[in-house]
Amino acid sequence: THQAATTTNAILNLSNDNAPLQQVVSGEEAALAEITKLAKEAGARVIRLPIPMGSHCMLMEGVSAEFKKILDDTPVNSPKIPVISNLTAEPLPAPRRIRDELSRQLVERVRWRESMLMLRSRGVDTFIEIGPGDKLTGLMKRIDRKAKRLTFEQVLS
């Protein structure tokens, strides 16, 4: 877990490394207010996401522990296709690691940019976003313009 220093001594974590020049922070309100002020003073564009909790942040430690108990009793099979970890940007080979990282991802940052770069380095050249919208394919465009990006709607049409 990465905690940023603030003068308020409030919790602030880097939550998502989405793309070059796009990071997300989570934390207590005092720390968010301070980092927002500092970022704007430095010329950064700041967007407050309408999320009512500190996702991927130490504020989720209690929930993470409870979630781990549930996951320990949940059957998980070895993946037939690689499952990439949000935490390490590497494939998760075994059910035990998948369970562990699913609970830890609640308190640790998402390494989206690094995960996409790892896939590109291993020869993946086409990315399909499954679900509504194009947020993730939009991030991929900022990470690597040469990668082919498709939304689920494009694949279906």
Side-chain angles (χ1 to χ4, degrees):
T1 304
H2 304 280
Q3 185 167 359
T6 66
T7 59
T8 63
N9 292 322
I11 294 172
L12 180 70
N13 292 117
L14 174 61
S15 301
N16 296 62
D17 177 9
N18 285 339
L21 303 176
Q22 185 181 14
Q23 284 71 44
V24 179
V25 295
S26 294
E28 295 175 308
E29 188 58 43
L32 291 171
E34 183 177 346
I35 196 73
T36 296
K37 178 180 175 269
L38 293 171
K40 285 182 177 180
E41 287 173 359
R45 186 174 138 207
V46 178
I47 299 171
R48 184 75 184 254
L49 300 175
I51 300 172
M53 67 188 121
S55 300
H56 311 294
C57 175
M58 344 175 11
L59 294 172
M60 297 293 286
E61 284 179 345
V63 174
S64 178
E66 288 296 315
F67 190 43
K68 179 149 182 32
K69 290 177 189 175
I70 294 167
L71 288 169
D72 286 343
D73 294 332
T74 303
V76 176
N77 296 323
S78 295
K80 293 183 188 319
I81 59 172
V83 174
I84 309 304
S85 165
N86 282 339
L87 307 181
T88 64
E90 292 294 328
L92 290 170
R96 181 186 54 76
R97 289 253 331 266
I98 293 170
R99 279 191 198 93
D100 179 53
E101 293 203 20
L102 280 172
S103 65
R104 287 181 40 221
Q105 76 173 349
L106 293 173
V107 296
E108 295 189 32
R109 74 175 163 149
V110 173
R111 296 174 182 263
W112 179 259
R113 180 184 55 84
E114 292 174 66
S115 296
M116 298 304 100
L117 290 172
M118 181 277 300
L119 289 169
R120 288 293 284 142
S121 75
R122 294 186 181 186
V124 176
D125 63 359
T126 303
F127 295 82
I128 301 170
E129 182 165 352
I130 298 175
D134 61 357
K135 297 283 188 223
L136 301 177
T137 50
L139 290 174
M140 191 62 208
K141 182 178 180 179
R142 294 173 66 186
I143 294 167
D144 185 341
R145 289 189 160 293
K146 293 179 182 174
K148 186 174 181 182
R149 302 164 310 278
L150 300 170
T151 62
F152 196 56
E153 292 82 13
Q154 291 171 317
V155 172
L156 292 177
S157 61

mmCIF file of all heavy atoms in Angstrom, residues 116 119-128 140 144-150:
data_model
loop_
_atom_site.group_PDB
_atom_site.id
_atom_site.type_symbol
_atom_site.label_atom_id
_atom_site.label_comp_id
_atom_site.label_asym_id
_atom_site.label_seq_id
_atom_site.Cartn_x
_atom_site.Cartn_y
_atom_site.Cartn_z
ATOM 1 N N MET A 116 -1.424 -3.450 -18.779
ATOM 2 C CA MET A 116 -1.565 -3.334 -20.233
ATOM 3 C C MET A 116 -0.201 -3.340 -20.928
ATOM 4 O O MET A 116 -0.032 -3.975 -21.973
ATOM 5 C CB MET A 116 -2.343 -2.069 -20.593
ATOM 6 C CG MET A 116 -3.773 -2.027 -20.070
ATOM 7 S SD MET A 116 -4.795 -3.432 -20.593
ATOM 8 C CE MET A 116 -4.740 -4.489 -19.130
ATOM 9 N N LEU A 119 1.025 -6.922 -21.058
ATOM 10 C CA LEU A 119 0.371 -7.673 -22.126
ATOM 11 C C LEU A 119 0.939 -7.300 -23.491
ATOM 12 O O LEU A 119 1.192 -8.171 -24.331
ATOM 13 C CB LEU A 119 -1.138 -7.448 -22.086
ATOM 14 C CG LEU A 119 -1.864 -8.097 -20.908
ATOM 15 C CD1 LEU A 119 -3.295 -7.592 -20.819
ATOM 16 C CD2 LEU A 119 -1.824 -9.617 -21.010
ATOM 17 N N ARG A 120 1.161 -6.019 -23.719
ATOM 18 C CA ARG A 120 1.757 -5.576 -24.994
ATOM 19 C C ARG A 120 3.146 -6.177 -25.171
ATOM 20 O O ARG A 120 3.493 -6.624 -26.260
ATOM 21 C CB ARG A 120 1.832 -4.043 -25.059
ATOM 22 C CG ARG A 120 0.506 -3.360 -25.252
ATOM 23 C CD ARG A 120 -0.122 -3.629 -26.599
ATOM 24 N NE ARG A 120 0.557 -2.852 -27.621
ATOM 25 C CZ ARG A 120 0.820 -3.277 -28.852
ATOM 26 N NH1 ARG A 120 0.431 -4.456 -29.246
ATOM 27 N NH2 ARG A 120 1.443 -2.509 -29.711
ATOM 28 N N SER A 121 3.941 -6.226 -24.098
ATOM 29 C CA SER A 121 5.295 -6.783 -24.194
ATOM 30 C C SER A 121 5.281 -8.276 -24.499
ATOM 31 O O SER A 121 6.260 -8.819 -24.993
ATOM 32 C CB SER A 121 6.085 -6.512 -22.906
ATOM 33 O OG SER A 121 5.658 -7.370 -21.864
ATOM 34 N N ARG A 122 4.158 -8.932 -24.231
ATOM 35 C CA ARG A 122 4.012 -10.366 -24.513
ATOM 36 C C ARG A 122 3.277 -10.623 -25.820
ATOM 37 O O ARG A 122 2.823 -11.717 -26.084
ATOM 38 C CB ARG A 122 3.325 -11.061 -23.350
ATOM 39 C CG ARG A 122 4.194 -11.026 -22.091
ATOM 40 C CD ARG A 122 3.620 -11.809 -20.982
ATOM 41 N NE ARG A 122 4.486 -11.706 -19.810
ATOM 42 C CZ ARG A 122 4.322 -12.372 -18.708
ATOM 43 N NH1 ARG A 122 3.310 -13.209 -18.602
ATOM 44 N NH2 ARG A 122 5.133 -12.218 -17.697
ATOM 45 N N GLY A 123 3.125 -9.574 -26.626
ATOM 46 C CA GLY A 123 2.582 -9.741 -27.965
ATOM 47 C C GLY A 123 1.093 -9.524 -28.123
ATOM 48 O O GLY A 123 0.564 -9.682 -29.226
ATOM 49 N N VAL A 124 0.380 -9.184 -27.072
ATOM 50 C CA VAL A 124 -1.054 -8.917 -27.207
ATOM 51 C C VAL A 124 -1.213 -7.597 -27.948
ATOM 52 O O VAL A 124 -0.619 -6.593 -27.568
ATOM 53 C CB VAL A 124 -1.751 -8.857 -25.827
ATOM 54 C CG1 VAL A 124 -3.211 -8.472 -25.978
ATOM 55 C CG2 VAL A 124 -1.606 -10.189 -25.094
ATOM 56 N N ASP A 125 -1.987 -7.613 -29.046
ATOM 57 C CA ASP A 125 -2.130 -6.387 -29.827
ATOM 58 C C ASP A 125 -3.570 -5.908 -29.968
ATOM 59 O O ASP A 125 -3.824 -4.826 -30.478
ATOM 60 C CB ASP A 125 -1.501 -6.545 -31.212
ATOM 61 C CG ASP A 125 -2.176 -7.604 -32.058
ATOM 62 O OD1 ASP A 125 -3.128 -8.254 -31.583
ATOM 63 O OD2 ASP A 125 -1.746 -7.785 -33.201
ATOM 64 N N THR A 126 -4.533 -6.713 -29.484
ATOM 65 C CA THR A 126 -5.937 -6.330 -29.575
ATOM 66 C C THR A 126 -6.585 -6.450 -28.205
ATOM 67 O O THR A 126 -6.438 -7.468 -27.524
ATOM 68 C CB THR A 126 -6.687 -7.231 -30.586
ATOM 69 O OG1 THR A 126 -6.032 -7.137 -31.846
ATOM 70 C CG2 THR A 126 -8.140 -6.808 -30.727
ATOM 71 N N PHE A 127 -7.304 -5.403 -27.812
ATOM 72 C CA PHE A 127 -7.969 -5.346 -26.518
ATOM 73 C C PHE A 127 -9.451 -5.095 -26.746
ATOM 74 O O PHE A 127 -9.818 -4.188 -27.488
ATOM 75 C CB PHE A 127 -7.367 -4.229 -25.660
ATOM 76 C CG PHE A 127 -5.925 -4.494 -25.310
ATOM 77 C CD1 PHE A 127 -4.913 -4.194 -26.209
ATOM 78 C CD2 PHE A 127 -5.604 -5.053 -24.091
ATOM 79 C CE1 PHE A 127 -3.591 -4.450 -25.892
ATOM 80 C CE2 PHE A 127 -4.278 -5.311 -23.763
ATOM 81 C CZ PHE A 127 -3.271 -5.016 -24.662
ATOM 82 N N ILE A 128 -10.300 -5.918 -26.131
ATOM 83 C CA ILE A 128 -11.748 -5.783 -26.256
ATOM 84 C C ILE A 128 -12.307 -5.447 -24.884
ATOM 85 O O ILE A 128 -12.081 -6.183 -23.915
ATOM 86 C CB ILE A 128 -12.389 -7.076 -26.789
ATOM 87 C CG1 ILE A 128 -11.810 -7.432 -28.155
ATOM 88 C CG2 ILE A 128 -13.919 -6.932 -26.858
ATOM 89 C CD1 ILE A 128 -12.200 -8.809 -28.660
ATOM 90 N N MET A 140 -6.457 2.636 -22.800
ATOM 91 C CA MET A 140 -5.473 1.906 -23.609
ATOM 92 C C MET A 140 -4.937 2.791 -24.727
ATOM 93 O O MET A 140 -3.759 2.734 -25.062
ATOM 94 C CB MET A 140 -6.099 0.626 -24.174
ATOM 95 C CG MET A 140 -5.093 -0.303 -24.793
ATOM 96 S SD MET A 140 -3.910 -0.867 -23.552
ATOM 97 C CE MET A 140 -2.500 -1.168 -24.582
ATOM 98 N N ASP A 144 -0.970 3.047 -25.233
ATOM 99 C CA ASP A 144 -0.287 2.594 -26.452
ATOM 100 C C ASP A 144 -1.214 2.795 -27.641
ATOM 101 O O ASP A 144 -2.154 2.029 -27.847
ATOM 102 C CB ASP A 144 0.113 1.126 -26.311
ATOM 103 C CG ASP A 144 0.928 0.622 -27.489
ATOM 104 O OD1 ASP A 144 0.912 1.236 -28.577
ATOM 105 O OD2 ASP A 144 1.577 -0.422 -27.326
ATOM 106 N N ARG A 145 -0.944 3.810 -28.433
ATOM 107 C CA ARG A 145 -1.806 4.134 -29.578
ATOM 108 C C ARG A 145 -1.809 3.046 -30.651
ATOM 109 O O ARG A 145 -2.731 2.973 -31.456
ATOM 110 C CB ARG A 145 -1.362 5.459 -30.205
ATOM 111 C CG ARG A 145 -1.690 6.660 -29.336
ATOM 112 C CD ARG A 145 -1.426 7.929 -30.133
ATOM 113 N NE ARG A 145 -2.089 9.097 -29.645
ATOM 114 C CZ ARG A 145 -3.395 9.329 -29.643
ATOM 115 N NH1 ARG A 145 -4.215 8.428 -30.076
ATOM 116 N NH2 ARG A 145 -3.887 10.457 -29.183
ATOM 117 N N LYS A 146 -0.777 2.194 -30.685
ATOM 118 C CA LYS A 146 -0.693 1.157 -31.717
ATOM 119 C C LYS A 146 -1.566 -0.050 -31.415
ATOM 120 O O LYS A 146 -1.855 -0.843 -32.307
ATOM 121 C CB LYS A 146 0.759 0.713 -31.893
ATOM 122 C CG LYS A 146 1.637 1.812 -32.464
ATOM 123 C CD LYS A 146 3.068 1.337 -32.591
ATOM 124 C CE LYS A 146 3.942 2.474 -33.119
ATOM 125 N NZ LYS A 146 5.344 2.123 -33.121
ATOM 126 N N ALA A 147 -1.974 -0.215 -30.175
ATOM 127 C CA ALA A 147 -2.811 -1.353 -29.808
ATOM 128 C C ALA A 147 -4.197 -1.182 -30.426
ATOM 129 O O ALA A 147 -4.753 -0.090 -30.449
ATOM 130 C CB ALA A 147 -2.929 -1.455 -28.290
ATOM 131 N N LYS A 148 -4.746 -2.266 -30.939
ATOM 132 C CA LYS A 148 -6.095 -2.242 -31.491
ATOM 133 C C LYS A 148 -7.074 -2.318 -30.321
ATOM 134 O O LYS A 148 -6.930 -3.157 -29.436
ATOM 135 C CB LYS A 148 -6.307 -3.422 -32.437
ATOM 136 C CG LYS A 148 -7.625 -3.385 -33.162
ATOM 137 C CD LYS A 148 -7.713 -4.500 -34.196
ATOM 138 C CE LYS A 148 -9.043 -4.426 -34.918
ATOM 139 N NZ LYS A 148 -9.169 -5.515 -35.893
ATOM 140 N N ARG A 149 -8.072 -1.424 -30.320
ATOM 141 C CA ARG A 149 -9.012 -1.317 -29.217
ATOM 142 C C ARG A 149 -10.431 -1.445 -29.746
ATOM 143 O O ARG A 149 -10.820 -0.732 -30.663
ATOM 144 C CB ARG A 149 -8.843 0.026 -28.505
ATOM 145 C CG ARG A 149 -7.445 0.248 -27.970
ATOM 146 C CD ARG A 149 -7.187 1.701 -27.620
ATOM 147 N NE ARG A 149 -7.525 2.675 -28.645
ATOM 148 C CZ ARG A 149 -6.745 3.006 -29.681
ATOM 149 N NH1 ARG A 149 -5.585 2.438 -29.827
ATOM 150 N NH2 ARG A 149 -7.130 3.910 -30.551
ATOM 151 N N LEU A 150 -11.188 -2.355 -29.161
ATOM 152 C CA LEU A 150 -12.574 -2.557 -29.573
ATOM 153 C C LEU A 150 -13.475 -2.574 -28.343
ATOM 154 O O LEU A 150 -13.116 -3.133 -27.313
ATOM 155 C CB LEU A 150 -12.723 -3.898 -30.290
ATOM 156 C CG LEU A 150 -11.914 -4.119 -31.569
ATOM 157 C CD1 LEU A 150 -11.978 -5.566 -32.002
ATOM 158 C CD2 LEU A 150 -12.402 -3.187 -32.657
#
